[in-house]
Amino acid sequence: MVGLSEGEKHFIHGGIAQDIRTDGRRRLQFRALSVHTGVIPQAGFRTCLVASMCLFLLFLSGNALRVYVSSDWWLLVLQANGSAHVRLGATEIIASVKAELGKPSILHPDKGKVSIFVDCSPTAEPMFEGRGSEELSAELSVALQRCLLGGKSGAGAAIDLSSLIVVEGKVCWDLYIDGLVVSSDGNLLDALSAAIKVALSDTGIPKVNVSLSAASDEEPEVDVSDEEFLQFDTSSVPVIITLTKVGRHYIVDATSEEESQMSSAVSVSVNRHGQICGLTKRGGAGLDPSVILDMISVAKHVSQQFISLLDSEIAAAEAEAEE
Amino acid sequence: MKDRHLSLNQTQRVRLEAALHELQSLAPAAASAAAVTVADTIPVNQEDNILKGHGTSDQDGEVVATLCGVVERVNKLVYVRTLRARYKPEVGDIIVGRVIEIAPKRWRLEINFSQDAVLMLSSMNLPDGIQRRRTAVDELNMRSIFEENDVICAEVRGFQHDGSLHLQARSEKYGKLERGQLLMVPPYLVKRKKQHFHHLEQYNVDLILGCNGFIWVGEHVVVGEKTKPTGGQQRFSTEAENFTPLETRKHICRLANAVRVLSALGFTLTVELIIETMEASVSSNAEINDMLGAEFYVQTAEREAKRRADLLRKKNGAR
């Protein structure tokens, strides 16, 4: 991260106080969001190697959020059940969802398992080389787990774990959600949550036929279908909105320069119904409780716009993928 | 600067391609002839006595390019010069740099060169303005002149025998830059001109086009106030009166966005072009942030194609 001189820091503080940030955005305005789905080929599908750029421009009436959606091709050696590539300004995230058959835990025999892991690639910052990104990756993974997975018993999870069960007590789906930070320019948590939501909407869980002839204590035979898929229901998956406090004001979607000037940041995870699913506070400065309540209400307000924006993007990306 | 990707819809892509095609046809034919990509054969007149320089290699007796760029010939030397290379300094260039280290009797600056540039304490005017020998006290007080991470404007004095670059900031117009933002563009977009300092009176903004690709857009500072030592941190209290006035800030942000759009399009940065782009955004009532969007990007490309076509027509008509 390049350092900033005192004059530049003063300029950034002034911009945020006067509601004109360095690139002209308002305090509660997001950068340009661009969403691609299906970037990692799914098992059983054939991926077309010719790049076809279908483009779609969507304006949200009444405010200055601008939305760009396009479909892209990306042939990687990996395979995933669902994937997404999200760009928020210069921050780029690739998220993938892999589903494997596993055994449910003894404490919760009627629930599947989900694990979230984030990795920061050295292409984003040179300091992420080797073990440099361990701390940041761990922090991001934990924050995402808190927001999306709920408590130990699975209560309050955004993803309905009971829908992942195949045979109660014996076979369940294990979802492995991976996020890769390719380019980092601030606001990683928001971009990661958006990428995970999009990847989950792109996920297809293969249909499983269970042979009924198995005895009750034997392992049942399962036949994983290659053709039929069940789409994941992501209507209850929340998004994370990070409010960064710089001086006396909060901003949404901070760049890395603005983040270096923050006194504290509160990340609120809100779902479609306006309910708060998770809360994280970062930064050393203390905050008055009234400030936190205000930040939560601002985040709720902003999140509704962001969720509808993201939903329309996902719909457009899916419409393109079908073409 | 990090790359920003723009998603264009179908009509915008068609318009952009048309504009870029027109720009390419307007470019002088010699320029495109000299461009090579990797594995292109470089035409050479005589096969012997040709010195193969950087970016070339000998393949089956032919000189083949190993980089994408422009072929340059100097006497018997043939080499390929890439466009997005690091900055290549020349004596007398005005550059903008950031202090990364304070060393004995000098500051080290980062200027997008292969090495850090050096600004000697003796090449710098002292705050009290008197020409005198630098003492040990001066050396201890270097931090009061420039600190780490400060943005400084200076001039290239020359190269030392070991290849390091030396700068000087003796004039009043050089010195620390505050109250603004620094933009980084590829160095080949800034051509050497007579003037690199531009004081835009109508906006009360200073625009400094550093030859190394660092561009400073900031509030106008009266010449002579630049090298004053920082009187503690009082100047940077977060009092509202101390911030840049709103109108000036809007102009600064618009100019900065104009520079970002032009550098994304790969157009040579000149003051006239930057001001023209900015005024086009004001006249079309675009929001400041919309200048970074797809529509303005395509419009800027079209405007530039039209401008160059008009220029060419005028030149041909005048003959």
Side-chain angles (χ1 to χ4, degrees):
Chain A
M1 244 293 289
V2 178
L4 290 171
S5 71
E6 287 302 319
E8 286 173 299
K9 288 179 189 167
H10 183 71
F11 190 77
I12 291 177
H13 278 258
I16 291 170
Q18 292 173 337
D19 207 16
I20 302 182
R21 290 150 80 173
T22 49
D23 54 2
R25 279 186 290 156
R26 314 213 75 94
R27 285 197 281 263
L28 299 182
Q29 196 175 351
F30 273 91
R31 288 173 284 184
L33 175 70
S34 131
V35 166
H36 311 199
T37 54
V39 295
I40 301 176
Q42 296 192 351
F45 279 70
R46 279 215 199 103
T47 334
C48 180
L49 284 180
V50 177
S52 60
M53 291 279 274
C54 289
L55 305 152
F56 200 84
L57 192 70
L58 244 163
F59 279 97
L60 268 166
S61 63
N63 71 38
L65 282 173
R66 195 163 286 194
V67 158
Y68 306 91
V69 179
S70 69
S71 79
D72 210 334
W73 62 270
W74 202 308
L75 187 64
L76 294 176
V77 183
L78 315 161
Q79 282 183 335
N81 291 73
S83 55
H85 176 210
V86 166
R87 266 194 214 109
L88 191 60
T91 301
E92 275 185 60
I93 310 283
I94 299 180
S96 78
V97 177
K98 299 186 188 81
E100 284 173 11
L101 285 174
K103 211 165 160 12
S105 84
I106 302 174
L107 297 168
H108 308 289
D110 60 340
K111 291 190 156 58
K113 296 195 290 265
V114 179
S115 80
I116 303 180
F117 181 67
V118 174
D119 186 29
C120 300
S121 157
T123 53
E125 292 284 329
M127 69 172 207
F128 290 159
E129 183 89 45
R131 296 186 56 176
S133 68
E134 247 175 72
E135 208 183 296
L136 180 63
S137 305
E139 191 192 316
L140 292 170
S141 307
V142 164
L144 286 169
Q145 278 163 7
R146 284 224 180 87
C147 293
L148 295 173
L149 296 186
K152 282 235 174 77
S153 64
I159 307 165
D160 186 15
L161 295 175
S162 326
S163 66
L164 294 175
I165 202 74
V166 176
V167 175
E168 187 155 330
K170 302 249 177 65
V171 182
C172 73
W173 282 112
D174 287 339
L175 281 187
Y176 295 99
I177 304 180
D178 291 297
L180 177 69
V181 176
V182 176
S183 171
S184 150
D185 191 24
N187 208 21
L188 291 175
L189 210 49
D190 291 17
L192 275 163
S193 76
I196 288 177
K197 189 175 164 87
V198 177
L200 283 172
S201 72
D202 184 50
T203 305
I205 309 275
K207 247 189 160 154
V208 179
N209 297 322
V210 186
S211 56
L212 297 163
S213 57
S216 59
D217 55 344
E218 272 179 17
E219 287 301 315
E221 287 181 16
V222 285
D223 171 37
V224 180
S225 153
D226 259 347
E227 295 304 322
E228 294 158 42
F229 286 82
L230 293 167
Q231 287 302 115
F232 219 76
D233 176 31
T234 54
S235 55
S236 57
V237 175
V239 290
I240 301 181
I241 304 285
T242 304
L243 282 172
T244 311
K245 188 163 192 287
V246 179
R248 288 207 310 254
H249 304 269
Y250 346 115
I251 53 174
V252 149
D253 196 13
T255 62
S256 47
E257 280 178 352
E258 290 165 342
E259 264 183 7
S260 69
Q261 296 308 301
M262 76 170 187
S263 57
S264 52
V266 171
S267 302
V268 184
S269 149
V270 190
N271 69 6
R272 172 193 309 275
H273 309 289
Q275 297 168 323
I276 298 175
C277 304
L279 195 59
T280 312
K281 180 208 171 279
R282 294 193 324 267
L287 288 175
D288 200 64
S290 58
V291 170
I292 298 227
L293 288 172
D294 191 39
M295 282 169 118
I296 290 177
S297 64
V298 168
K300 253 181 68 169
H301 171 72
V302 171
S303 70
Q304 298 311 313
Q305 299 166 355
F306 192 61
I307 288 180
S308 48
L309 177 64
L310 206 52
D311 283 340
S312 50
E313 294 259 6
I314 294 172
E318 276 169 8
E320 260 177 70
E322 277 160 29
E323 280 173 28
Chain B
M1 273 208 317
K2 296 231 159 78
D3 269 331
R4 236 186 333 256
H5 289 257
L6 284 175
S7 303
L8 309 166
N9 66 17
Q10 196 60 27
T11 39
Q12 286 174 333
R13 287 199 69 223
V14 168
R15 284 162 59 196
L16 182 67
E17 275 172 28
L20 292 176
H21 187 71
E22 194 179 336
L23 282 169
Q24 194 145 9
S25 61
L26 291 170
S32 45
V36 286
T37 48
V38 180
D40 278 356
T41 321
I42 299 174
V44 281
N45 282 334
Q46 58 273 40
E47 290 298 337
D48 46 346
N49 296 336
I50 286 288
L51 286 174
K52 300 181 228 352
H54 286 295
T56 64
S57 97
D58 198 6
Q59 297 271 344
D60 304 325
E62 286 180 348
V63 181
V64 163
T66 55
L67 298 169
C68 298
V70 175
V71 174
E72 301 268 347
R73 293 164 210 270
V74 179
N75 294 341
K76 294 249 192 290
L77 173 68
V78 174
Y79 66 98
V80 179
R81 178 175 59 85
T82 58
L83 290 179
R84 282 185 182 267
R86 290 247 179 205
Y87 164 58
K88 276 240 304 270
E90 279 175 30
V91 178
D93 276 354
I94 306 222
I95 53 124
V96 176
R98 198 186 282 278
V99 176
I100 48 175
E101 194 195 331
I102 299 184
K105 285 212 195 57
R106 70 205 67 183
W107 291 275
R108 284 198 197 281
L109 276 72
E110 199 238 310
I111 57 166
N112 198 19
F113 181 43
S114 51
Q115 294 174 339
D116 296 327
V118 166
L119 177 64
M120 304 291 297
L121 177 59
S122 47
S123 313
M124 184 64 224
N125 278 344
L126 286 175
D128 48 10
I130 307 173
Q131 306 274 22
R132 57 179 171 78
R133 209 182 159 77
R134 303 325 187 229
T135 61
V137 180
D138 289 320
E139 201 178 326
L140 290 171
N141 289 338
M142 279 174 77
R143 203 165 256 115
S144 65
I145 306 176
F146 297 140
E147 272 192 314
E148 277 93 347
N149 290 327
D150 273 346
V151 180
I152 296 178
C153 172
E155 187 186 325
V156 175
R157 199 182 86 193
F159 290 89
Q160 294 301 101
H161 48 87
D162 56 0
S164 64
L165 189 65
H166 275 239
L167 308 172
Q168 60 105 340
R170 275 202 181 281
S171 167
E172 280 298 325
K173 55 186 176 167
Y174 301 130
K176 181 150 59 170
L177 299 170
E178 290 161 336
R179 308 178 82 93
Q181 49 178 317
L182 184 69
L183 307 160
M184 291 177 231
V185 303
Y188 75 100
L189 292 177
V190 182
K191 300 282 180 246
R192 289 179 178 95
K193 292 264 162 69
K194 287 226 165 43
Q195 234 205 354
H196 286 265
F197 289 87
H198 303 280
H199 165 44
L200 306 173
E201 271 131 19
Q202 66 270 42
Y203 306 124
N204 195 30
V205 168
D206 271 343
L207 175 69
I208 303 180
L209 300 170
C211 297
N212 59 337
F214 284 17
I215 307 218
W216 174 262
V217 186
E219 215 183 306
H220 176 59
V221 175
V222 177
V223 170
E225 281 182 13
K226 269 206 194 122
T227 45
K228 284 218 184 85
T230 54
Q233 296 291 61
Q234 301 125 321
R235 277 193 303 152
F236 294 132
S237 62
T238 51
E239 292 302 322
E241 313 90 63
N242 228 358
F243 289 143
T244 318
L246 192 62
E247 274 311 305
T248 317
R249 184 176 291 279
K250 282 189 183 162
H251 294 310
I252 291 176
C253 289
R254 270 195 203 270
L255 283 167
N257 279 352
V259 171
R260 289 183 181 115
V261 169
L262 291 172
S263 79
L265 280 164
F267 293 152
T268 308
L269 291 168
T270 57
V271 191
E272 297 86 17
L273 188 56
I274 296 174
I275 295 181
E276 196 191 307
T277 312
M278 181 196 163
E279 268 163 18
S281 83
V282 172
S283 59
S284 67
N285 277 330
E287 291 278 325
I288 305 180
N289 187 39
D290 288 347
M291 289 173 74
L292 298 175
E295 183 58 33
F296 193 73
Y297 185 83
V298 176
Q299 279 175 2
T300 312
E302 288 174 338
R303 210 175 17 249
E304 177 68 9
K306 188 166 165 304
R307 190 185 73 89
R308 287 200 203 165
D310 289 344
L311 203 64
L312 197 64
R313 223 172 293 138
K314 243 185 269 173
K315 226 195 297 181
N316 286 339
R319 272 199 224 135

